[in-house]
Amino acid sequence: MALWFGSDSDHPEREQCRAVFAQYSSVVAMLSEDLIDSNGQAKLRQAASLL
């Protein structure tokens, strides 16, 4: 829980997480609706386009 607090400069792993998400978010967004609903898919697509 402590990792959520503090600035990004205090937590360099956040940038690594963003980079991995940016790389794979479009793949995750294509998951079967059995695994993620259409609302979740839309959110992932939106986030992928913002990164």
Side-chain angles (χ1 to χ4, degrees), residues 4-47:
W4 291 102
F5 300 104
S7 68
D8 283 355
S9 63
D10 294 332
H11 300 283
E13 70 279 2
R14 291 179 182 172
E15 185 58 36
Q16 294 168 337
C17 290
R18 287 186 194 104
V20 170
F21 180 79
Q23 184 176 0
Y24 294 105
S25 60
S26 62
V27 175
V28 175
M30 288 190 253
L31 288 173
S32 166
E33 288 187 13
D34 293 337
L35 299 175
I36 185 171
D37 64 17
S38 59
N39 187 41
Q41 289 176 337
K43 288 179 182 179
L44 285 170
R45 288 187 186 108
Q46 180 183 14

